[in-house]
Amino acid sequence: KKAADRFPAEPFPLFMLGMGQMQLNALKNAIDSWEEALDLSYGNRFIREQIFTNLGQAYHELGDHGRSDQAFENALKLDPDNALSLNNYAYFLAERAENLSKALEMTIRSNKIDPDNPTYLDTWAWVHYQNAQYQEALEKQERAMELSKDPSADLFDHYGDILFQLEKTEQAVKNWKRALELGAEDPEKIREKIEQNELEK
């Protein structure tokens, strides 16, 4: 904040201020900082690309999907091979079960750019899952689990959902329980899946 105040014409301190605010979950403040940085960053393609990618994340977390999608579109105009933007945009579309053909194209592209990335493979699996392509989802998810040195709660939760759809209920429950142990973001939802042996419709 001191640097941003001292160098008001420079975009980078504002960009970093936004990153700090994002980490503190002050999303609206982060967006304000990044929007101000954008106004100062014409001609600096790299920093604009980073800002748009982070704006996509922040707007998604606020539930503003229209602005989130537009931010990712802007990032990808600057660099169509930005694997992080491709992955995150694809994942958020999959979470909403929207425009899944576009999500599939983007996740395939991100995995070609950065192969054997567990996070990107998880996204690929989740796009397949939302398309009801459960066997394809299983293959990608198992590869993600294999490559991840420390699988996250999300990976175990997704793995459980895929296994459940393939009628492997016992294995699904085992993975959901592991997701709970690792501090899943929505533990109540996972407990319901375990107790009721069914997925949210």
Side-chain angles (χ1 to χ4, degrees):
K1 181 67 169 64
K2 289 179 181 178
D5 290 341
R6 185 168 179 179
F7 302 99
E10 294 294 329
F12 189 71
L14 281 165
F15 170 68
M16 294 306 298
L17 175 60
M19 294 298 290
Q21 290 164 330
M22 180 82 162
Q23 292 297 316
L24 292 170
N25 206 35
L27 298 175
K28 292 182 179 179
N29 290 337
I31 288 169
D32 288 343
S33 295
W34 288 328
E35 294 286 1
E36 189 176 346
L38 276 176
D39 290 339
L40 300 171
S41 65
Y42 284 102
N44 189 333
R45 195 187 80 165
F46 174 76
I47 196 167
R48 290 179 69 79
E49 181 186 337
Q50 300 302 309
I51 291 169
F52 282 128
T53 298
N54 283 285
L55 280 171
Q57 174 83 30
Y59 277 125
H60 167 78
E61 292 188 20
L62 288 173
D64 192 337
H65 303 311
R67 283 193 173 96
S68 174
D69 291 355
Q70 188 57 59
F72 283 120
E73 292 286 351
N74 290 338
L76 291 170
K77 282 178 188 174
L78 292 168
D79 181 7
D81 292 326
N82 182 322
L84 180 62
S85 289
L86 288 164
N87 174 76
N88 290 0
Y89 193 4
Y91 184 75
F92 296 152
L93 288 175
E95 281 283 272
R96 287 147 44 195
E98 293 178 6
N99 209 344
L100 293 174
S101 59
K102 182 182 181 75
L104 183 60
E105 289 176 10
M106 290 192 295
T107 189
I108 289 172
R109 187 176 183 87
S110 68
N111 276 278
K112 284 182 178 177
I113 294 166
D114 188 1
D116 292 338
N117 182 317
T119 300
Y120 295 177
L121 281 163
D122 174 64
T123 296
W124 198 349
W126 203 236
V127 174
H128 279 311
Y129 178 89
Q130 296 289 41
N131 272 313
Q133 298 166 326
Y134 302 124
Q135 191 58 49
E136 293 89 339
L138 181 67
E139 292 170 9
K140 300 304 179 188
Q141 195 69 27
E142 287 186 336
R143 181 63 176 155
M145 302 294 285
E146 177 187 334
L147 288 167
S148 181
K149 293 178 182 177
D150 188 17
S152 67
D154 280 345
L155 261 67
F156 280 105
D157 186 23
H158 289 168
Y159 194 24
D161 287 2
I162 294 165
L163 289 165
F164 184 83
Q165 295 288 8
L166 291 169
E167 299 183 354
K168 299 179 180 181
T169 306
E170 187 175 335
Q171 290 175 259
V173 169
K174 180 180 177 182
N175 280 277
W176 289 332
K177 286 181 177 178
R178 184 67 179 129
L180 281 178
E181 291 170 4
L182 290 172
E185 287 186 16
D186 192 348
E188 192 55 40
K189 183 178 176 182
I190 296 177
R191 288 191 191 98
E192 286 180 10
K193 290 191 285 191
I194 293 169
E195 292 167 6
Q196 299 175 19
N197 274 347
E198 65 179 19
L199 295 176
E200 207 176 58
K201 292 185 175 131

